[in-house]
């Protein structure tokens, strides 16, 4: 238990600690816990194996004490050095009679007591007798004197007016979070829509460009084919014209020969022959 106490202190001074949890650290008696813990308000010693409360320190500010699941059968008088005690859990111990509980009359502020799973609870009219013995007691084993269940800690806060304010703040916080999340979703939708539209525009633009290129290629092919056709037509026309001209010249030559007049084109050739003969 002493080592566990040192670990729980975490290098803090004893008079600075307000809460101490020593659950499950096996010991039959309280060791290492001294009167130096003057600021301690909550102490938990669940399932430690205690058989006695001898050596329990003087804790003037202690309000909550957990001693459930031990083997305590008497010695509750050792707790009277903590006069401000309001909550005491002794469930799961070895208390057999109401006489053992007599020392608890000293606690003028004790409001909650739990004796569940003790033999004393089998005594006839046990609850009525305990409430009669402890005047300040409000709840015994989780119920008041009228068998109304004790409120939870959250319910206590609500009764004190604290929980309502917290709930209001939480609701406001939730509303703001919901609004923020809704805004975020809406913004995201718009952004996605814009991106989607941009992608469509880009795809359409690329598709238009591709079609334009294909149209240009087709136009070029058509122009080339038209050009080829025109060339062939022109060549054919020129050939025809040449043939017609040749035929015309031939006809003219024949006509001149028939009339006895040499053609002008043959005159130079004739003169040439004559000069060669004369020479």
């Amino acid at each position: 238990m002493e080592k566990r106490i040192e670990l729980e202190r975490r290098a803090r001074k004893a008079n600075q600690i307000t809460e101490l949890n020593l659950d499950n650290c096996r010991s039959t008696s309280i060791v290492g816990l001294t009167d130096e813990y003057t600021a301690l308000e909550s102490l938990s010693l669940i399932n430690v194996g205690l058989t006695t409360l001898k050596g329990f320190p003087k804790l003037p500010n202690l309000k909550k004490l957990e001693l459930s699941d031990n083997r305590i059968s008497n010695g509750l008088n050792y707790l009277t050095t903590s006069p401000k005690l309001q909550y005491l859990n002794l469930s799961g111990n070895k208390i057999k009679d109401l006489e053992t509980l007599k020392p608890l009359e000293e606690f003028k502020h004790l409001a909650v007591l739990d004796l569940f799973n003790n033999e004393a609870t089998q005594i006839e009219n046990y609850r009525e007798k305990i409430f009669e013995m402890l005047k300040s007691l409000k709840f015994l084993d989780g119920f008041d004197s009228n068998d109304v269940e004790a409120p939870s800690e959250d319910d206590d806060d609500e009764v004190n007016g604290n929980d309502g304010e917290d709930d209001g703040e939480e609701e406001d916080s939730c509303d703001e979070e919901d609004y923020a999340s809704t805004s975020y979703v809406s913004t995201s939708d718009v952004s996605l829509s814009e991106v989607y539209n941009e992608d469509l525009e880009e795809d359409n633009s690329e598709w238009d460009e591709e079609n334009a290129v294909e149209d240009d290629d087709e136009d070029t092919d058509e122009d080339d084919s038209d050009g080829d056709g025109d060339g062939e037509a022109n060549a054919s026309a020129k050939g025809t014209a040449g043939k017609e001209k040749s035929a015309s010249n031939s006809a003219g030559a024949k006509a001149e020969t028939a009339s006895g007049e040499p053609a002008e084109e043959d005159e130079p050739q004739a003169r040439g022959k004559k000069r060669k003969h004369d020479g």
Side-chain angles (χ1 to χ4, degrees), residues 195-213:
V195 172
Y196 179 72
N197 290 334
E198 290 177 359
D199 291 340
L200 285 178
E201 291 176 0
E202 291 178 359
D203 292 340
N204 292 334
S205 177
E206 292 177 358
W207 186 81
D208 292 339
E209 291 177 359
E210 290 177 357
N211 289 339
V213 172

Side-chain angles (χ1 to χ4, degrees), residues 33-54:
L33 192 61
T34 65
D35 295 347
E36 296 176 330
Y37 294 84
T38 55
L40 194 63
E41 296 182 359
S42 177
L43 174 62
S44 186
L45 292 163
I46 299 173
N47 193 34
V48 174
L50 296 174
T51 58
T52 179
L53 292 174
K54 186 177 181 179

Side-chain angles (χ1 to χ4, degrees), residues 247-261:
S248 177
N249 291 335
S250 177
K254 289 180 180 180
E256 290 177 354
T257 302
S259 62
E261 293 180 0

Side-chain angles (χ1 to χ4, degrees), residues 16-78:
Q16 296 177 333
I17 298 174
T18 58
E19 184 175 354
L20 197 58
N21 188 324
L22 303 176
D23 295 349
N24 304 308
C25 62
R26 309 303 294 178
S27 179
T28 57
S29 61
I30 296 175
V31 181
L33 192 61
T34 65
D35 295 347
E36 296 176 330
Y37 294 84
T38 55
L40 194 63
E41 296 182 359
S42 177
L43 174 62
S44 186
L45 292 163
I46 299 173
N47 193 34
V48 174
L50 296 174
T51 58
T52 179
L53 292 174
K54 186 177 181 179
F56 193 86
K58 182 180 180 180
L59 303 173
N61 289 302
L62 187 65
K63 297 178 181 179
K64 182 176 182 179
L65 179 59
E66 291 276 3
L67 291 172
S68 61
D69 299 327
N70 285 287
R71 292 181 290 170
I72 300 169
S73 59
N74 53 41
L76 296 183
N77 55 296
Y78 293 110

Side-chain angles (χ1 to χ4, degrees), residues 2-245:
E2 290 177 298
K3 292 181 180 180
R4 174 67 177 275
I5 292 174
E6 289 300 321
L7 288 173
E8 292 292 331
R9 285 181 58 175
R10 299 169 188 168
R12 294 175 295 174
K13 293 181 179 180
N15 60 3
Q16 296 177 333
I17 298 174
T18 58
E19 184 175 354
L20 197 58
N21 188 324
L22 303 176
D23 295 349
N24 304 308
C25 62
R26 309 303 294 178
S27 179
T28 57
S29 61
I30 296 175
V31 181
L33 192 61
T34 65
D35 295 347
E36 296 176 330
Y37 294 84
T38 55
L40 194 63
E41 296 182 359
S42 177
L43 174 62
S44 186
L45 292 163
I46 299 173
N47 193 34
V48 174
L50 296 174
T51 58
T52 179
L53 292 174
K54 186 177 181 179
F56 193 86
K58 182 180 180 180
L59 303 173
N61 289 302
L62 187 65
K63 297 178 181 179
K64 182 176 182 179
L65 179 59
E66 291 276 3
L67 291 172
S68 61
D69 299 327
N70 285 287
R71 292 181 290 170
I72 300 169
S73 59
N74 53 41
L76 296 183
N77 55 296
Y78 293 110
L79 300 178
T80 56
T81 54
S82 302
K84 293 184 179 181
L85 195 63
Q86 300 176 7
Y87 175 100
L88 177 60
N89 190 344
L90 288 167
S91 61
N93 279 281
K94 305 295 182 181
I95 300 173
K96 297 180 180 181
D97 52 57
L98 301 182
E99 190 66 25
T100 304
L101 300 173
K102 280 285 186 180
L104 298 182
E105 293 178 336
E106 300 293 328
F107 297 106
K108 305 302 181 182
H109 304 287
L110 186 62
V112 179
L113 176 63
D114 196 337
L115 295 170
F116 180 75
N117 203 20
N118 280 276
E119 290 186 27
T121 60
Q122 304 301 318
I123 297 173
E124 187 178 0
N125 297 324
Y126 146 78
R127 290 180 58 79
E128 288 80 357
K129 292 178 179 179
I130 293 295
F131 277 111
E132 181 64 25
M133 180 191 303
L134 306 175
K135 303 298 183 181
S136 62
L137 197 63
K138 295 181 179 179
F139 298 100
L140 175 62
D141 301 337
F143 294 85
D144 65 9
S145 58
N146 297 317
D147 290 332
V148 176
E149 188 174 3
S152 63
E153 292 182 0
D154 293 337
D155 293 334
D156 289 339
D157 291 337
E158 186 175 356
V159 170
N160 292 330
N162 296 328
D163 193 53
E165 296 177 359
D166 293 340
D167 288 344
E169 294 176 358
E170 289 178 359
E171 289 178 0
D172 293 341
S173 176
C174 290
D175 291 341
E176 292 176 359
E177 290 177 359
D178 293 340
Y179 178 78
S181 62
T182 303
S183 300
Y184 173 77
V185 171
S186 176
T187 303
S188 299
D189 291 341
V190 172
S191 299
L192 290 174
S193 177
E194 291 177 354
V195 172
Y196 179 72
N197 290 334
E198 290 177 359
D199 291 340
L200 285 178
E201 291 176 0
E202 291 178 359
D203 292 340
N204 292 334
S205 177
E206 292 177 358
W207 186 81
D208 292 339
E209 291 177 359
E210 290 177 357
N211 289 339
V213 172
E214 291 178 358
D215 293 341
D216 292 341
D217 292 341
E218 292 177 359
D219 293 341
T220 302
D221 292 339
E222 291 177 0
D223 292 341
D224 291 342
S225 63
D226 292 342
D228 293 341
D230 292 342
E232 292 176 357
N234 292 334
S236 178
K238 289 180 180 179
T240 303
K243 289 180 180 179
E244 291 177 354
K245 185 176 182 180

